[in-house]
Amino acid sequence: MGYKVVVAGATGNVGREMLNILAEREFPVDEIAVLASRRSKGTEVSFGERTLKIQDIDSFDFAGWDIALFAIGSDATKTYAPKAAAAGCVVIDNSSLYRYDPQIPLVVPEVNPEAVDQYTNRMIIANPNCSTAQMVVALKPLHDRAKIKRVVVSTYQSVSGAGKEGMDELWDQTKSIYNPVQEVPPKKFSKQIAFNVIPHIDVFLDDGSTKEEWKMVAETKKILDTKIKVTATCVRVPVFVGHSESINIETEEFLDWEEATDILREAPGIMVVDKREPGGYVTPIECVGEYATYISRIRQDSTVDNGLNFWCVSDNLRKGAALNAVQIAETLGRRCLKKG
């Protein structure tokens, strides 16, 4: 006996990826429903070898369904997640709405799988921000060994993190530069994204940081350890899919880069590619469609007593969103629901 699964927001980038990953990982699905807004009703989406028709989320009855994967944004989630939860369906939410609620578990299965047990508080589990998810996967095994005190991270985030509009803007601006018939001014982003980088993701806060940077700080503390100090600079780059991060950590105990490399090689969800030669590292284009979080450029930071630097790359639509949500569903099934 398997699960009755709902995917809400199934016409979007993340929703479609959720369907792909459920099929790829052979999640034990007995029945599946795909939902979106009324204007998408009847649209067809793929689930493995099957074709499914979108249903209107507004009129959908969640009673009798086990798990709902939500990729519909905070505003819609605020309306529909409580309805699903009240009907006894566990919501795994990809928006930022519930991430900072102390009653709602914020989960990366390689890092804090036990937090899934708290789903009974509100019948909702939160999926972290894409840039946080890949970072904490890399930090967890190093923190277990040497206790991380401080993290300095600079991100290089792809336009898919801003949705289809972000991807379209990069594509249209790039074409307009090569074939300058029509100018494509910034719309989704604050400045031209083609052939440029923008040190601004989400809104600015009073202290000069952006909300994206604040998210990385708050979520790392909630998922991994409240005592870790984190400072982030988040940058949008002209890459379609795949987030990259330059991460510097300072630990309480000395950790040699070679031992750190061995630890990361054995850690779940991580693939180390670090040959210290031209091309001996992973870039975003190589991680697209992959499950792993890739680590390269591991080296000592000689400016502090116990410091390490490394490079971290992952498919943000997968580990940063859809894959993590499905992994949460798998963990929920194994630990709590025990079907399939």
Side-chain angles (χ1 to χ4, degrees):
M1 184 178 177
Y3 296 94
K4 294 180 69 176
V5 178
V6 177
V7 176
T11 56
N13 288 342
V14 174
R16 289 177 187 270
E17 199 65 20
M18 286 173 171
L19 289 168
N20 290 339
I21 292 169
L22 284 167
E24 285 175 17
R25 292 173 74 90
E26 298 182 343
F27 188 82
V29 173
D30 264 5
E31 194 174 340
I32 189 161
V34 286
L35 313 181
S37 62
R38 187 175 290 119
R39 67 178 179 273
S40 297
K41 186 178 179 181
T43 302
E44 293 185 341
V45 294
S46 296
F47 174 61
E49 300 295 316
R50 297 164 58 188
T51 300
L52 307 174
K53 286 195 175 182
I54 296 290
Q55 300 181 54
D56 178 10
I57 191 171
D58 212 31
S59 57
F60 186 78
D61 182 1
F62 287 93
W65 293 83
D66 298 306
I67 299 170
L69 306 179
F70 269 46
I72 55 176
S74 293
D75 289 343
T77 296
K78 197 171 188 177
T79 299
Y80 300 109
K83 289 183 179 178
C89 179
V90 183
V91 174
I92 299 171
D93 177 36
N94 194 58
S95 81
S96 62
L97 182 64
Y98 295 109
R99 289 176 189 159
Y100 315 106
D101 186 322
Q103 285 195 304
I104 305 288
L106 180 65
V107 178
V108 176
E110 297 94 335
V111 180
N112 62 336
E114 69 287 344
V116 162
D117 301 348
Q118 301 167 36
Y119 84 95
T120 53
N121 292 346
R122 300 265 295 278
M123 297 293 284
I124 297 170
I125 302 170
N127 207 27
N129 189 39
C130 47
S131 51
T132 306
Q134 69 186 69
M135 182 172 78
V136 295
V137 168
L139 295 181
K140 167 65 172 173
L142 302 177
H143 185 58
D144 286 347
R145 161 62 181 83
K147 199 85 171 173
I148 296 170
K149 297 194 297 184
R150 182 171 184 256
V151 179
V152 181
V153 56
S154 297
T155 72
Y156 307 77
Q157 294 179 227
S158 66
V159 294
S160 58
K164 184 178 183 298
E165 291 174 323
M167 298 178 79
D168 289 346
E169 191 159 307
L170 173 58
W171 176 247
D172 292 340
Q173 282 183 355
T174 302
K175 287 192 297 181
S176 75
I177 289 167
Y178 278 110
N179 183 24
V181 176
Q182 181 182 355
E183 188 177 343
V184 180
K187 190 175 177 183
K188 182 66 178 178
F189 302 113
S190 57
K191 295 199 175 191
Q192 176 184 308
I193 185 60
F195 301 94
N196 198 17
V197 298
I198 304 171
H200 169 202
I201 301 176
D202 213 323
V203 298
F204 276 94
L205 306 177
D206 290 342
D207 66 354
S209 62
T210 64
K211 194 170 182 184
E212 184 82 359
E213 291 156 358
W214 174 84
K215 287 175 187 176
M216 292 194 75
V217 176
E219 293 175 17
T220 300
K221 286 175 175 289
K222 184 172 179 179
I223 296 167
L224 190 56
D225 190 333
T226 56
K227 295 176 183 174
I228 290 180
K229 295 179 179 178
V230 181
T231 182
T233 301
C234 294
V235 182
R236 191 73 72 190
V237 297
V239 169
F240 283 108
V241 178
H243 287 357
S244 305
E245 297 171 349
S246 172
I247 301 173
N248 172 274
I249 65 170
E250 187 177 353
T251 56
E252 288 186 6
E253 297 179 38
F254 178 75
L255 180 58
D256 178 80
W257 71 267
E258 291 176 302
E259 184 185 353
T261 301
D262 291 340
I263 289 169
L264 289 167
R265 284 192 197 281
E266 296 300 319
I270 290 174
M271 182 76 70
V272 174
V273 179
D274 193 8
K275 295 182 180 177
R276 297 193 167 186
E277 63 185 39
Y281 41 79
V282 173
T283 59
I285 203 165
E286 291 138 14
C287 78
V288 176
E290 299 292 331
Y291 288 145
T293 294
Y294 290 89
I295 306 295
S296 308
R297 302 292 321 280
I298 305 164
R299 61 206 189 278
Q300 226 74 43
D301 174 8
S302 60
T303 66
V304 292
D305 289 339
N306 301 326
L308 286 169
N309 293 302
F310 57 92
W311 176 249
C312 176
V313 180
S314 188
D315 181 332
N316 56 295
L317 296 179
R318 290 207 152 203
K319 185 54 191 169
L323 171 61
N324 199 71
V326 173
Q327 287 177 307
I328 291 172
E330 292 170 345
T331 306
L332 177 70
R334 281 195 306 271
R335 291 181 66 96
C336 306
L337 303 185
K338 298 184 179 177
K339 281 183 174 183

